[in-house]
Amino acid sequence: MTNYAQIALDTLFQRYDLLPKEKRYHGKWSYDIGVVLLGVKEAYHQTNEKKYLDYIKETMDFYIQSDGTIRGYSFDAMNIDYINNGKLLFLLYKETKENKYKLALDLLYQQLQEMPRTKEGSFWHKKIYPNQVWLDGLYMGAPFLAEYACTFDKPADLADVIQQFTHCYQQTVDPTTGLLYHAWDEAKIQPWANPETGCSAHFWGRSIGWFMMALVDTMALLPADVPKEALVEMFEKTLQALAKVRATENVWYQVLDKGDKKGNYLEASASSMICYAMAKAIQLGVISEKWQSFAAETYQGIIEEFVFITNEGWLNLIRNCEVAGLGGPDKRDGSFVYYISEPIITNDFKGYGAFLQASLLLQPLSKEG
């Protein structure tokens, strides 16, 4: 049986010597690097092979300076995307005991302490997006805050983590479908926001993928004595809603509930994220094993729809939405036409990283590699 997890890892190592120096990044502290490296971290945990730890360390050492400052990072931007790569620093600090990693962790934690919030306590997505909560931001910030709280004994922060999910879910869930809108504007003044609810107009696949990954990664970190019922309920309800809009190909559309609308397309990153979240929830015992076949069908659908092996034996993941957001200088309006008009690319790291993470759960590596 073909092990796509191993092929995806081997491809990554052969294609990219040092991720930050790739032309797509130009040294930026870019959150999607973290999505890929979390897959490499899982490979390290499965095999204990030093090459995986070294790959993470070399990448992070490009950014993390000896005094704990981070190249390409701006504290004042109050950008929750900047937190994601910090998830890798817990592993590096544990393995190396180098103080620069602890200093960088403290810096990112301090950002979360100073992040502007909505009245009920949800983090803004960025300082330039005032009063706005995006589903993406839960993935960027919540698992990091949970791991910091557990690692450095700050139990009060765990209640904050849970309320971040609770408030976001309450504000973005559609009572009819059970799906979550991409974002919510507390002030209800953004051009993309519904003036009555504050929600954006559509169910964007990857945004719910981010949310589902965030939930399951956070649940995996929480201590046994921290109640998880609220998170489990959110996960189950959202998964049931997603099951209703899965395409006949067993994957998901860019705009989840508009599969029959011209221009919509089956999208790799959302499908991979949802697949990963399901597989991890089953592994954790968060959801019933009756979902096992659903997850396996989804993974097979991803392989059939999105995975191509090149002549060199490298893995390509096609049909990833490159980026999607709301507002900003480009005045992104959150319309259906907007979501289907963003560039569709191959091997986008948000999709590739999610596929790698899903593959490692569904096709674990042997100790022999």
Side-chain angles (χ1 to χ4, degrees), residues 164-196:
Q164 294 290 328
F165 283 106
T166 302
H167 289 155
C168 179
Y169 182 83
Q170 288 170 347
Q171 298 297 354
T172 59
V173 68
D174 171 49
T176 304
T177 64
L179 296 169
L180 309 182
Y181 293 104
H182 183 178
W184 174 68
D185 171 26
E186 180 183 43
K188 302 177 182 176
I189 59 173
Q190 292 299 320
W192 51 260
N194 181 303
E196 293 182 9

PDB file of all heavy atoms in Angstrom, residues 164-196:
ATOM      1  N   GLN A 164     -12.621  31.468  24.235  1.00  0.00           N
ATOM      2  CA  GLN A 164     -12.351  31.921  22.867  1.00  0.00           C
ATOM      3  C   GLN A 164     -13.171  31.102  21.874  1.00  0.00           C
ATOM      4  O   GLN A 164     -13.786  31.645  20.941  1.00  0.00           O
ATOM      5  CB  GLN A 164     -10.854  31.790  22.535  1.00  0.00           C
ATOM      6  CG  GLN A 164      -9.922  32.693  23.319  1.00  0.00           C
ATOM      7  CD  GLN A 164     -10.041  34.152  22.951  1.00  0.00           C
ATOM      8  OE1 GLN A 164     -10.326  34.500  21.810  1.00  0.00           O
ATOM      9  NE2 GLN A 164      -9.829  35.024  23.923  1.00  0.00           N
ATOM     10  N   PHE A 165     -13.181  29.787  22.060  1.00  0.00           N
ATOM     11  CA  PHE A 165     -13.978  28.918  21.189  1.00  0.00           C
ATOM     12  C   PHE A 165     -15.475  29.163  21.377  1.00  0.00           C
ATOM     13  O   PHE A 165     -16.218  29.277  20.400  1.00  0.00           O
ATOM     14  CB  PHE A 165     -13.668  27.447  21.476  1.00  0.00           C
ATOM     15  CG  PHE A 165     -12.378  26.964  20.904  1.00  0.00           C
ATOM     16  CD1 PHE A 165     -11.277  26.738  21.719  1.00  0.00           C
ATOM     17  CD2 PHE A 165     -12.248  26.724  19.546  1.00  0.00           C
ATOM     18  CE1 PHE A 165     -10.074  26.289  21.189  1.00  0.00           C
ATOM     19  CE2 PHE A 165     -11.045  26.275  19.002  1.00  0.00           C
ATOM     20  CZ  PHE A 165      -9.961  26.061  19.830  1.00  0.00           C
ATOM     21  N   THR A 166     -15.890  29.238  22.631  1.00  0.00           N
ATOM     22  CA  THR A 166     -17.320  29.347  22.926  1.00  0.00           C
ATOM     23  C   THR A 166     -17.913  30.601  22.307  1.00  0.00           C
ATOM     24  O   THR A 166     -18.952  30.550  21.632  1.00  0.00           O
ATOM     25  CB  THR A 166     -17.540  29.345  24.446  1.00  0.00           C
ATOM     26  OG1 THR A 166     -16.984  28.147  24.991  1.00  0.00           O
ATOM     27  CG2 THR A 166     -19.018  29.411  24.775  1.00  0.00           C
ATOM     28  N   HIS A 167     -17.263  31.719  22.502  1.00  0.00           N
ATOM     29  CA  HIS A 167     -17.785  32.973  21.974  1.00  0.00           C
ATOM     30  C   HIS A 167     -17.755  33.000  20.447  1.00  0.00           C
ATOM     31  O   HIS A 167     -18.699  33.452  19.805  1.00  0.00           O
ATOM     32  CB  HIS A 167     -17.012  34.158  22.542  1.00  0.00           C
ATOM     33  CG  HIS A 167     -17.291  34.401  23.992  1.00  0.00           C
ATOM     34  ND1 HIS A 167     -16.401  35.048  24.826  1.00  0.00           N
ATOM     35  CD2 HIS A 167     -18.353  34.084  24.766  1.00  0.00           C
ATOM     36  CE1 HIS A 167     -16.921  35.114  26.043  1.00  0.00           C
ATOM     37  NE2 HIS A 167     -18.093  34.531  26.034  1.00  0.00           N
ATOM     38  N   CYS A 168     -16.668  32.513  19.873  1.00  0.00           N
ATOM     39  CA  CYS A 168     -16.570  32.494  18.412  1.00  0.00           C
ATOM     40  C   CYS A 168     -17.674  31.622  17.820  1.00  0.00           C
ATOM     41  O   CYS A 168     -18.343  32.014  16.854  1.00  0.00           O
ATOM     42  CB  CYS A 168     -15.201  31.987  17.979  1.00  0.00           C
ATOM     43  SG  CYS A 168     -15.002  31.894  16.189  1.00  0.00           S
ATOM     44  N   TYR A 169     -17.867  30.455  18.399  1.00  0.00           N
ATOM     45  CA  TYR A 169     -18.904  29.541  17.894  1.00  0.00           C
ATOM     46  C   TYR A 169     -20.280  30.181  18.004  1.00  0.00           C
ATOM     47  O   TYR A 169     -21.074  30.165  17.048  1.00  0.00           O
ATOM     48  CB  TYR A 169     -18.851  28.225  18.677  1.00  0.00           C
ATOM     49  CG  TYR A 169     -19.854  27.194  18.206  1.00  0.00           C
ATOM     50  CD1 TYR A 169     -19.571  26.379  17.117  1.00  0.00           C
ATOM     51  CD2 TYR A 169     -21.082  27.049  18.848  1.00  0.00           C
ATOM     52  CE1 TYR A 169     -20.487  25.432  16.679  1.00  0.00           C
ATOM     53  CE2 TYR A 169     -22.004  26.108  18.416  1.00  0.00           C
ATOM     54  CZ  TYR A 169     -21.705  25.303  17.331  1.00  0.00           C
ATOM     55  OH  TYR A 169     -22.618  24.383  16.889  1.00  0.00           O
ATOM     56  N   GLN A 170     -20.572  30.755  19.149  1.00  0.00           N
ATOM     57  CA  GLN A 170     -21.892  31.364  19.359  1.00  0.00           C
ATOM     58  C   GLN A 170     -22.165  32.490  18.360  1.00  0.00           C
ATOM     59  O   GLN A 170     -23.297  32.660  17.902  1.00  0.00           O
ATOM     60  CB  GLN A 170     -21.990  31.904  20.791  1.00  0.00           C
ATOM     61  CG  GLN A 170     -22.097  30.823  21.845  1.00  0.00           C
ATOM     62  CD  GLN A 170     -21.953  31.364  23.257  1.00  0.00           C
ATOM     63  OE1 GLN A 170     -21.533  32.510  23.467  1.00  0.00           O
ATOM     64  NE2 GLN A 170     -22.300  30.547  24.243  1.00  0.00           N
ATOM     65  N   GLN A 171     -21.134  33.229  18.026  1.00  0.00           N
ATOM     66  CA  GLN A 171     -21.323  34.373  17.131  1.00  0.00           C
ATOM     67  C   GLN A 171     -21.384  33.976  15.664  1.00  0.00           C
ATOM     68  O   GLN A 171     -21.976  34.691  14.854  1.00  0.00           O
ATOM     69  CB  GLN A 171     -20.204  35.401  17.344  1.00  0.00           C
ATOM     70  CG  GLN A 171     -20.153  36.007  18.740  1.00  0.00           C
ATOM     71  CD  GLN A 171     -21.383  36.808  19.111  1.00  0.00           C
ATOM     72  OE1 GLN A 171     -22.273  37.025  18.301  1.00  0.00           O
ATOM     73  NE2 GLN A 171     -21.462  37.239  20.366  1.00  0.00           N
ATOM     74  N   THR A 172     -20.747  32.866  15.287  1.00  0.00           N
ATOM     75  CA  THR A 172     -20.621  32.535  13.858  1.00  0.00           C
ATOM     76  C   THR A 172     -21.498  31.374  13.395  1.00  0.00           C
ATOM     77  O   THR A 172     -21.649  31.173  12.188  1.00  0.00           O
ATOM     78  CB  THR A 172     -19.159  32.206  13.491  1.00  0.00           C
ATOM     79  OG1 THR A 172     -18.714  31.092  14.282  1.00  0.00           O
ATOM     80  CG2 THR A 172     -18.243  33.405  13.725  1.00  0.00           C
ATOM     81  N   VAL A 173     -22.077  30.597  14.312  1.00  0.00           N
ATOM     82  CA  VAL A 173     -22.840  29.427  13.881  1.00  0.00           C
ATOM     83  C   VAL A 173     -24.169  29.857  13.246  1.00  0.00           C
ATOM     84  O   VAL A 173     -24.835  30.778  13.719  1.00  0.00           O
ATOM     85  CB  VAL A 173     -23.080  28.451  15.050  1.00  0.00           C
ATOM     86  CG1 VAL A 173     -24.018  29.030  16.098  1.00  0.00           C
ATOM     87  CG2 VAL A 173     -23.602  27.109  14.542  1.00  0.00           C
ATOM     88  N   ASP A 174     -24.499  29.190  12.161  1.00  0.00           N
ATOM     89  CA  ASP A 174     -25.778  29.410  11.492  1.00  0.00           C
ATOM     90  C   ASP A 174     -26.783  28.412  12.069  1.00  0.00           C
ATOM     91  O   ASP A 174     -26.584  27.191  11.944  1.00  0.00           O
ATOM     92  CB  ASP A 174     -25.622  29.196   9.988  1.00  0.00           C
ATOM     93  CG  ASP A 174     -26.964  29.208   9.271  1.00  0.00           C
ATOM     94  OD1 ASP A 174     -27.749  30.143   9.519  1.00  0.00           O
ATOM     95  OD2 ASP A 174     -27.222  28.285   8.482  1.00  0.00           O
ATOM     96  N   PRO A 175     -27.860  28.871  12.686  1.00  0.00           N
ATOM     97  CA  PRO A 175     -28.787  27.939  13.340  1.00  0.00           C
ATOM     98  C   PRO A 175     -29.485  26.986  12.381  1.00  0.00           C
ATOM     99  O   PRO A 175     -29.943  25.915  12.790  1.00  0.00           O
ATOM    100  CB  PRO A 175     -29.801  28.873  14.030  1.00  0.00           C
ATOM    101  CG  PRO A 175     -29.670  30.192  13.352  1.00  0.00           C
ATOM    102  CD  PRO A 175     -28.266  30.279  12.867  1.00  0.00           C
ATOM    103  N   THR A 176     -29.551  27.343  11.112  1.00  0.00           N
ATOM    104  CA  THR A 176     -30.240  26.487  10.142  1.00  0.00           C
ATOM    105  C   THR A 176     -29.383  25.318   9.689  1.00  0.00           C
ATOM    106  O   THR A 176     -29.820  24.163   9.695  1.00  0.00           O
ATOM    107  CB  THR A 176     -30.678  27.313   8.916  1.00  0.00           C
ATOM    108  OG1 THR A 176     -31.482  28.399   9.350  1.00  0.00           O
ATOM    109  CG2 THR A 176     -31.464  26.459   7.935  1.00  0.00           C
ATOM    110  N   THR A 177     -28.138  25.598   9.301  1.00  0.00           N
ATOM    111  CA  THR A 177     -27.263  24.555   8.745  1.00  0.00           C
ATOM    112  C   THR A 177     -26.299  23.959   9.766  1.00  0.00           C
ATOM    113  O   THR A 177     -25.795  22.853   9.563  1.00  0.00           O
ATOM    114  CB  THR A 177     -26.427  25.115   7.586  1.00  0.00           C
ATOM    115  OG1 THR A 177     -25.557  26.141   8.109  1.00  0.00           O
ATOM    116  CG2 THR A 177     -27.305  25.704   6.495  1.00  0.00           C
ATOM    117  N   GLY A 178     -25.996  24.705  10.827  1.00  0.00           N
ATOM    118  CA  GLY A 178     -24.977  24.266  11.775  1.00  0.00           C
ATOM    119  C   GLY A 178     -23.567  24.579  11.322  1.00  0.00           C
ATOM    120  O   GLY A 178     -22.601  24.286  12.037  1.00  0.00           O
ATOM    121  N   LEU A 179     -23.423  25.166  10.131  1.00  0.00           N
ATOM    122  CA  LEU A 179     -22.108  25.576   9.638  1.00  0.00           C
ATOM    123  C   LEU A 179     -21.731  26.926  10.249  1.00  0.00           C
ATOM    124  O   LEU A 179     -22.573  27.652  10.779  1.00  0.00           O
ATOM    125  CB  LEU A 179     -22.128  25.665   8.114  1.00  0.00           C
ATOM    126  CG  LEU A 179     -22.384  24.342   7.382  1.00  0.00           C
ATOM    127  CD1 LEU A 179     -22.644  24.582   5.900  1.00  0.00           C
ATOM    128  CD2 LEU A 179     -21.200  23.382   7.567  1.00  0.00           C
ATOM    129  N   LEU A 180     -20.446  27.259  10.157  1.00  0.00           N
ATOM    130  CA  LEU A 180     -19.940  28.502  10.751  1.00  0.00           C
ATOM    131  C   LEU A 180     -19.562  29.493   9.659  1.00  0.00           C
ATOM    132  O   LEU A 180     -18.868  29.133   8.694  1.00  0.00           O
ATOM    133  CB  LEU A 180     -18.714  28.221  11.620  1.00  0.00           C
ATOM    134  CG  LEU A 180     -18.833  27.122  12.677  1.00  0.00           C
ATOM    135  CD1 LEU A 180     -17.541  27.019  13.474  1.00  0.00           C
ATOM    136  CD2 LEU A 180     -20.003  27.369  13.603  1.00  0.00           C
ATOM    137  N   TYR A 181     -19.992  30.723   9.823  1.00  0.00           N
ATOM    138  CA  TYR A 181     -19.569  31.784   8.916  1.00  0.00           C
ATOM    139  C   TYR A 181     -18.091  32.102   9.141  1.00  0.00           C
ATOM    140  O   TYR A 181     -17.573  31.929  10.255  1.00  0.00           O
ATOM    141  CB  TYR A 181     -20.425  33.031   9.118  1.00  0.00           C
ATOM    142  CG  TYR A 181     -21.864  32.855   8.699  1.00  0.00           C
ATOM    143  CD1 TYR A 181     -22.875  32.692   9.642  1.00  0.00           C
ATOM    144  CD2 TYR A 181     -22.207  32.824   7.350  1.00  0.00           C
ATOM    145  CE1 TYR A 181     -24.200  32.520   9.248  1.00  0.00           C
ATOM    146  CE2 TYR A 181     -23.532  32.647   6.958  1.00  0.00           C
ATOM    147  CZ  TYR A 181     -24.521  32.495   7.910  1.00  0.00           C
ATOM    148  OH  TYR A 181     -25.829  32.307   7.518  1.00  0.00           O
ATOM    149  N   HIS A 182     -17.437  32.587   8.102  1.00  0.00           N
ATOM    150  CA  HIS A 182     -15.993  32.817   8.141  1.00  0.00           C
ATOM    151  C   HIS A 182     -15.590  33.772   9.259  1.00  0.00           C
ATOM    152  O   HIS A 182     -14.576  33.574   9.928  1.00  0.00           O
ATOM    153  CB  HIS A 182     -15.552  33.370   6.768  1.00  0.00           C
ATOM    154  CG  HIS A 182     -14.092  33.598   6.617  1.00  0.00           C
ATOM    155  ND1 HIS A 182     -13.519  34.055   5.452  1.00  0.00           N
ATOM    156  CD2 HIS A 182     -13.056  33.467   7.473  1.00  0.00           C
ATOM    157  CE1 HIS A 182     -12.231  34.179   5.605  1.00  0.00           C
ATOM    158  NE2 HIS A 182     -11.923  33.822   6.823  1.00  0.00           N
ATOM    159  N   ALA A 183     -16.380  34.832   9.484  1.00  0.00           N
ATOM    160  CA  ALA A 183     -15.954  35.849  10.443  1.00  0.00           C
ATOM    161  C   ALA A 183     -17.154  36.592  11.005  1.00  0.00           C
ATOM    162  O   ALA A 183     -18.276  36.518  10.481  1.00  0.00           O
ATOM    163  CB  ALA A 183     -14.998  36.831   9.768  1.00  0.00           C
ATOM    164  N   TRP A 184     -16.883  37.345  12.074  1.00  0.00           N
ATOM    165  CA  TRP A 184     -17.910  38.123  12.758  1.00  0.00           C
ATOM    166  C   TRP A 184     -17.345  39.485  13.117  1.00  0.00           C
ATOM    167  O   TRP A 184     -16.212  39.583  13.610  1.00  0.00           O
ATOM    168  CB  TRP A 184     -18.356  37.385  14.029  1.00  0.00           C
ATOM    169  CG  TRP A 184     -19.313  38.145  14.899  1.00  0.00           C
ATOM    170  CD1 TRP A 184     -20.602  38.476  14.612  1.00  0.00           C
ATOM    171  CD2 TRP A 184     -19.062  38.663  16.218  1.00  0.00           C
ATOM    172  NE1 TRP A 184     -21.185  39.163  15.664  1.00  0.00           N
ATOM    173  CE2 TRP A 184     -20.251  39.285  16.670  1.00  0.00           C
ATOM    174  CE3 TRP A 184     -17.954  38.648  17.069  1.00  0.00           C
ATOM    175  CZ2 TRP A 184     -20.354  39.898  17.918  1.00  0.00           C
ATOM    176  CZ3 TRP A 184     -18.055  39.253  18.316  1.00  0.00           C
ATOM    177  CH2 TRP A 184     -19.249  39.867  18.726  1.00  0.00           C
ATOM    178  N   ASP A 185     -18.111  40.512  12.854  1.00  0.00           N
ATOM    179  CA  ASP A 185     -17.733  41.891  13.186  1.00  0.00           C
ATOM    180  C   ASP A 185     -18.610  42.361  14.341  1.00  0.00           C
ATOM    181  O   ASP A 185     -19.815  42.548  14.185  1.00  0.00           O
ATOM    182  CB  ASP A 185     -17.927  42.792  11.957  1.00  0.00           C
ATOM    183  CG  ASP A 185     -17.774  44.270  12.288  1.00  0.00           C
ATOM    184  OD1 ASP A 185     -17.070  44.590  13.277  1.00  0.00           O
ATOM    185  OD2 ASP A 185     -18.355  45.092  11.564  1.00  0.00           O
ATOM    186  N   GLU A 186     -17.989  42.535  15.486  1.00  0.00           N
ATOM    187  CA  GLU A 186     -18.742  42.957  16.666  1.00  0.00           C
ATOM    188  C   GLU A 186     -19.443  44.299  16.441  1.00  0.00           C
ATOM    189  O   GLU A 186     -20.575  44.515  16.893  1.00  0.00           O
ATOM    190  CB  GLU A 186     -17.799  43.062  17.871  1.00  0.00           C
ATOM    191  CG  GLU A 186     -18.488  43.490  19.156  1.00  0.00           C
ATOM    192  CD  GLU A 186     -17.508  43.642  20.311  1.00  0.00           C
ATOM    193  OE1 GLU A 186     -16.421  44.203  20.108  1.00  0.00           O
ATOM    194  OE2 GLU A 186     -17.853  43.209  21.422  1.00  0.00           O
ATOM    195  N   ALA A 187     -18.776  45.192  15.712  1.00  0.00           N
ATOM    196  CA  ALA A 187     -19.353  46.529  15.476  1.00  0.00           C
ATOM    197  C   ALA A 187     -20.433  46.518  14.396  1.00  0.00           C
ATOM    198  O   ALA A 187     -21.191  47.486  14.266  1.00  0.00           O
ATOM    199  CB  ALA A 187     -18.242  47.504  15.106  1.00  0.00           C
ATOM    200  N   LYS A 188     -20.473  45.446  13.598  1.00  0.00           N
ATOM    201  CA  LYS A 188     -21.480  45.289  12.532  1.00  0.00           C
ATOM    202  C   LYS A 188     -21.442  46.442  11.518  1.00  0.00           C
ATOM    203  O   LYS A 188     -22.479  46.867  11.010  1.00  0.00           O
ATOM    204  CB  LYS A 188     -22.886  45.152  13.133  1.00  0.00           C
ATOM    205  CG  LYS A 188     -23.008  43.983  14.104  1.00  0.00           C
ATOM    206  CD  LYS A 188     -24.379  43.882  14.746  1.00  0.00           C
ATOM    207  CE  LYS A 188     -24.417  42.734  15.746  1.00  0.00           C
ATOM    208  NZ  LYS A 188     -25.702  42.643  16.459  1.00  0.00           N
ATOM    209  N   ILE A 189     -20.232  46.900  11.235  1.00  0.00           N
ATOM    210  CA  ILE A 189     -20.091  48.035  10.304  1.00  0.00           C
ATOM    211  C   ILE A 189     -19.255  47.697   9.076  1.00  0.00           C
ATOM    212  O   ILE A 189     -19.196  48.498   8.141  1.00  0.00           O
ATOM    213  CB  ILE A 189     -19.472  49.269  11.006  1.00  0.00           C
ATOM    214  CG1 ILE A 189     -18.097  48.928  11.588  1.00  0.00           C
ATOM    215  CG2 ILE A 189     -20.416  49.789  12.097  1.00  0.00           C
ATOM    216  CD1 ILE A 189     -17.350  50.126  12.136  1.00  0.00           C
ATOM    217  N   GLN A 190     -18.595  46.541   9.071  1.00  0.00           N
ATOM    218  CA  GLN A 190     -17.769  46.204   7.916  1.00  0.00           C
ATOM    219  C   GLN A 190     -18.654  45.979   6.686  1.00  0.00           C
ATOM    220  O   GLN A 190     -19.761  45.431   6.804  1.00  0.00           O
ATOM    221  CB  GLN A 190     -16.935  44.950   8.190  1.00  0.00           C
ATOM    222  CG  GLN A 190     -15.858  45.139   9.245  1.00  0.00           C
ATOM    223  CD  GLN A 190     -14.840  46.188   8.866  1.00  0.00           C
ATOM    224  OE1 GLN A 190     -14.427  46.278   7.709  1.00  0.00           O
ATOM    225  NE2 GLN A 190     -14.444  47.004   9.831  1.00  0.00           N
ATOM    226  N   PRO A 191     -18.167  46.366   5.499  1.00  0.00           N
ATOM    227  CA  PRO A 191     -18.981  46.163   4.290  1.00  0.00           C
ATOM    228  C   PRO A 191     -19.372  44.706   4.058  1.00  0.00           C
ATOM    229  O   PRO A 191     -20.403  44.435   3.445  1.00  0.00           O
ATOM    230  CB  PRO A 191     -18.062  46.678   3.174  1.00  0.00           C
ATOM    231  CG  PRO A 191     -17.139  47.643   3.844  1.00  0.00           C
ATOM    232  CD  PRO A 191     -16.930  47.102   5.232  1.00  0.00           C
ATOM    233  N   TRP A 192     -18.541  43.774   4.551  1.00  0.00           N
ATOM    234  CA  TRP A 192     -18.839  42.350   4.351  1.00  0.00           C
ATOM    235  C   TRP A 192     -19.783  41.784   5.413  1.00  0.00           C
ATOM    236  O   TRP A 192     -20.220  40.633   5.309  1.00  0.00           O
ATOM    237  CB  TRP A 192     -17.557  41.521   4.333  1.00  0.00           C
ATOM    238  CG  TRP A 192     -16.617  41.746   5.495  1.00  0.00           C
ATOM    239  CD1 TRP A 192     -15.491  42.520   5.494  1.00  0.00           C
ATOM    240  CD2 TRP A 192     -16.719  41.186   6.825  1.00  0.00           C
ATOM    241  NE1 TRP A 192     -14.889  42.481   6.745  1.00  0.00           N
ATOM    242  CE2 TRP A 192     -15.617  41.671   7.565  1.00  0.00           C
ATOM    243  CE3 TRP A 192     -17.619  40.331   7.440  1.00  0.00           C
ATOM    244  CZ2 TRP A 192     -15.396  41.330   8.902  1.00  0.00           C
ATOM    245  CZ3 TRP A 192     -17.416  39.992   8.781  1.00  0.00           C
ATOM    246  CH2 TRP A 192     -16.312  40.495   9.492  1.00  0.00           C
ATOM    247  N   ALA A 193     -20.077  42.561   6.457  1.00  0.00           N
ATOM    248  CA  ALA A 193     -20.821  42.031   7.602  1.00  0.00           C
ATOM    249  C   ALA A 193     -22.324  42.245   7.456  1.00  0.00           C
ATOM    250  O   ALA A 193     -22.781  43.311   7.025  1.00  0.00           O
ATOM    251  CB  ALA A 193     -20.331  42.693   8.886  1.00  0.00           C
ATOM    252  N   ASN A 194     -23.089  41.238   7.845  1.00  0.00           N
ATOM    253  CA  ASN A 194     -24.537  41.377   7.923  1.00  0.00           C
ATOM    254  C   ASN A 194     -24.848  42.430   8.998  1.00  0.00           C
ATOM    255  O   ASN A 194     -24.398  42.290  10.142  1.00  0.00           O
ATOM    256  CB  ASN A 194     -25.156  40.031   8.301  1.00  0.00           C
ATOM    257  CG  ASN A 194     -26.668  40.064   8.381  1.00  0.00           C
ATOM    258  OD1 ASN A 194     -27.243  40.846   9.114  1.00  0.00           O
ATOM    259  ND2 ASN A 194     -27.309  39.177   7.637  1.00  0.00           N
ATOM    260  N   PRO A 195     -25.606  43.466   8.665  1.00  0.00           N
ATOM    261  CA  PRO A 195     -25.823  44.545   9.635  1.00  0.00           C
ATOM    262  C   PRO A 195     -26.599  44.118  10.873  1.00  0.00           C
ATOM    263  O   PRO A 195     -26.556  44.808  11.896  1.00  0.00           O
ATOM    264  CB  PRO A 195     -26.603  45.597   8.825  1.00  0.00           C
ATOM    265  CG  PRO A 195     -27.173  44.866   7.656  1.00  0.00           C
ATOM    266  CD  PRO A 195     -26.231  43.746   7.366  1.00  0.00           C
ATOM    267  N   GLU A 196     -27.285  42.988  10.800  1.00  0.00           N
ATOM    268  CA  GLU A 196     -28.034  42.513  11.968  1.00  0.00           C
ATOM    269  C   GLU A 196     -27.231  41.528  12.817  1.00  0.00           C
ATOM    270  O   GLU A 196     -27.247  41.599  14.043  1.00  0.00           O
ATOM    271  CB  GLU A 196     -29.348  41.864  11.529  1.00  0.00           C
ATOM    272  CG  GLU A 196     -30.330  42.853  10.912  1.00  0.00           C
ATOM    273  CD  GLU A 196     -31.641  42.189  10.525  1.00  0.00           C
ATOM    274  OE1 GLU A 196     -31.846  41.009  10.882  1.00  0.00           O
ATOM    275  OE2 GLU A 196     -32.444  42.862   9.857  1.00  0.00           O
TER     276      GLU A 196
END
